[in-house]
Amino acid sequence: MKLTGSQILLESLKKEGVDTIFGLPGGVVLGIFDALYHEKALKVILTRHEQGAMHMGEGYAKVTGKAGVVLVTSGPGATNTVTGLTNAYMDSCPLVVITGQVPTQMIGNDAFQEADIVGISRPCTKYSFLVKDVKDLAQIIKEAFYIATTGRPGPVLIDLPKDVTFAKTEFKYPDKVSIRSYNPTIQGNKWQVKQAALSIAKAKRPVLYVGGGVVLSNAYDEIKELAELTQIPVTMTLMGLGAFPGTHPLSLGMLGMHGLACANWAVHDCDLLIAVGARFDDRVTGKVSEFAPNCEVIHIDIDPTSIRKNFKVDVPIVGDVKSVLKELNEVIKNSFIGNEDLKALRKPWMAQIGQWKKERPLQYHQEADVIKPQFVIEKLYELTKGNAIVTTDVGQHQMWAAQFYKFNQSRTFLNSGGLGTMGYGFPAALGAQAAFPEKLVINISGDGSIQMNIQELATAVVENLPVKVAILNNRYLGMVRQWQQLFYENRYSSSYLDQSPDFVKLAEAYGAVGLRASRPDEVEGVILKALKVKGPVVMDFVVDSNENVYPMVPAGGSNYAMVFEDPKPVQEDKPARLADPDSILTA
């Protein structure tokens, strides 16, 4: 039996186990949406903007581990996906994005709503397809899902001209796919794994540096086993939070620009650094020449291009993190000294780390009348008992969430790590909620970030996605203000948001519930009330406008030299610089 291109697309998606599509219709994809009208196995979540659809797809993908699927029209619909594509590419998130295209005979003629999305998207996708013949469609879809979800995951785009969606052919979906030029390495080299085990056995001051690759590889159990087996403390990147329990005695928390002091000092003084699924991002390393300066480095990653790209490595191991860690744990268990011997070997190191934890814990001062943003995060953690999927946007609130909410499970903290996309958190929360309707999903945002995709409140209400939004409302683009205070002598150029809306009334205008806390003693009541509401809620917390995120490593500075508090006022109205002024050019 022959099917149209639209029907082939939907049948192929079902073969891939897709159950939810995030998207927005337009002229050239009306045939696909018409086919979806009678389709019961594929739920369509109609978003209010294509960028919102992209971040919802990412949220769905990050909590499930499956590819998120997005369907949009041509021209502006397609170009509106570019930020989401880049964000997913930077964060290694599996997405299959289907864009409509003008009919094949019109391509290149500047037709209405035509854009060369394949050309535009090439730098920000893992691969992009243009379907010219309906006979190729099923094979291309199979390859798209294979590429998106294997190796280092990423977004794949399929550009589908209108005439292809109406053309007919016999439908046969491939059972498997083989691409000659694309063969990700899964198993690590056995000799290198053994070298890594030897280094671990003799190290006196080792540190595990865990990134988002551990989350993507579902290697939660393996990294925990390695840490406990070898008694190695664990620090995590922003993307790696949740890959190892944040409340575990071996956890050092996050490292890097706003990382914990104990984590940054441990990495600086270690004699062995084991990087697992991490890419030595500049927000982690600070001044590269002074990052982990006197140690041997083992780097495990499935992407060979990530190894030695930013940092010298002594023992590179290319392979799937989960597979390599399984092999490494077996070698250690079968070959080397026992757990108690390793405990004794590293006792002085753990004592030093314990001392650092006592000397420089995370801290803030909660006053009687003004809400501190850290206090809100701590209350959210306390009242949810850590049992929530948390998303953030980008800025100060993102760092406070990373510092003060303890993530004990993988795939429970979603944020824009690589690209730093404001407007990401709320639609990502909706995608996560669509994947797991029964779970509690909280979006922590700022009054600047939330306004970049606030229109998706309509999606939340219509689709009954009961996400709880906690806005840390400081009336500023907070991180911009912090940098202007510290590095631009208090010149707050275009960072004050004097026209922000009344978020309670705005929530109500969309049909959601709006709540506000203006004093510290109102915070707990607002959170408890929000948690009891069955639908979406916007909580507006009016917080201290002048609070800054600490610790902080000035851009381009050494992680060892962190700043822990606001600089003291200086004479002649000339604030002190915290770093070489030229270094801010690298931010």
Side-chain angles (χ1 to χ4, degrees), residues 1-9 11 133-135 137-138 164-172:
M1 180 181 176
K2 291 187 176 181
L3 300 181
T4 66
S6 296
Q7 292 169 324
I8 289 172
L9 172 64
E11 291 303 315
D133 190 325
V134 70
K135 294 176 182 175
L137 182 55
V164 176
T165 67
F166 285 100
K168 288 188 173 182
T169 191
E170 293 289 340
F171 174 61
K172 183 180 180 183

Side-chain angles (χ1 to χ4, degrees), residues 325-511:
L325 289 179
K326 275 185 176 179
E327 177 75 16
L328 182 59
N329 288 339
E330 285 305 309
V331 171
I332 291 171
K333 281 188 283 189
N334 295 331
S335 307
F336 300 113
I337 52 180
N339 178 280
E340 292 304 317
D341 295 323
L342 290 173
K343 267 188 180 178
L345 178 68
R346 286 153 193 168
K347 189 175 179 180
W349 179 231
M350 296 307 298
Q352 176 62 72
I353 288 174
Q355 184 64 29
W356 285 334
K357 285 183 177 180
K358 285 181 184 176
E359 285 177 2
R360 284 295 183 182
L362 289 172
Q363 57 186 349
Y364 66 95
H365 177 62
Q366 176 55 61
E367 299 165 0
D369 298 326
V370 181
I371 301 173
K372 293 292 183 178
Q374 301 96 323
F375 177 69
V376 177
I377 306 289
E378 286 193 320
K379 276 294 173 188
L380 284 168
Y381 175 72
E382 174 189 329
L383 297 173
T384 62
K385 299 180 174 60
N387 294 320
I389 295 171
V390 175
T391 73
T392 71
D393 282 285
V394 171
Q396 288 180 312
H397 68 273
Q398 178 189 26
M399 295 298 112
W400 283 317
Q403 292 176 336
F404 287 91
Y405 198 100
K406 306 301 180 189
F407 298 96
N408 285 321
Q409 288 296 324
S410 195
R411 299 189 183 279
T412 57
F413 182 47
L414 317 182
N415 72 108
S416 173
L419 192 62
T421 306
M422 292 174 69
Y424 166 87
F426 180 46
L430 298 182
Q433 190 77 82
F436 295 113
E438 75 286 359
K439 291 191 176 181
L440 174 61
V441 181
I442 298 175
N443 167 227
I444 298 171
S445 189
D447 49 319
S449 285
I450 192 66
Q451 294 186 69
M452 290 200 173
N453 268 314
I454 192 73
Q455 76 285 345
E456 300 305 338
L457 262 173
T459 307
V461 171
V462 170
E463 299 292 340
N464 192 28
L465 298 169
V467 168
K468 314 306 178 197
V469 182
I471 301 174
L472 304 183
N473 185 353
N474 60 7
R475 283 80 69 198
Y476 274 99
L477 298 171
M479 193 61 87
V480 175
R481 184 203 57 74
Q482 178 169 337
W483 280 56
Q484 288 173 333
Q485 176 188 342
L486 299 178
F487 306 118
Y488 291 87
E489 302 178 0
N490 298 324
R491 293 189 293 276
Y492 301 129
S493 176
S494 301
S495 58
Y496 179 56
L497 301 175
D498 55 351
Q499 291 295 323
S500 288
D502 181 324
F503 290 110
V504 172
K505 290 181 179 176
L506 186 61
E508 292 169 350
Y510 275 106

Side-chain angles (χ1 to χ4, degrees), residues 184-196 217 298-303 307 315-328 331:
T185 300
I186 304 300
Q187 301 295 328
N189 178 281
K190 289 186 180 300
W191 185 85
Q192 289 167 308
V193 170
K194 190 174 180 181
Q195 292 303 305
S217 182
I298 299 168
H299 192 178
I300 303 169
D301 203 292
I302 197 165
D303 181 4
I307 293 178
V315 184
I317 304 177
V318 177
D320 172 66
V321 164
K322 189 181 183 77
S323 298
V324 173
L325 289 179
K326 275 185 176 179
E327 177 75 16
L328 182 59
V331 171

Side-chain angles (χ1 to χ4, degrees), residues 216-260:
L216 293 169
S217 182
N218 295 315
Y220 177 89
D221 291 335
E222 287 75 13
I223 199 74
K224 188 163 176 278
E225 182 181 10
L226 176 62
E228 292 177 344
L229 184 66
T230 56
Q231 291 298 299
I232 299 179
V234 181
T235 183
M236 289 157 279
T237 67
L238 186 66
M239 298 301 292
L241 290 173
F244 184 79
T247 55
H248 195 287
L250 289 169
S251 174
L252 301 175
M254 185 173 70
L255 80 165
M257 178 174 279
H258 293 293
L260 277 69

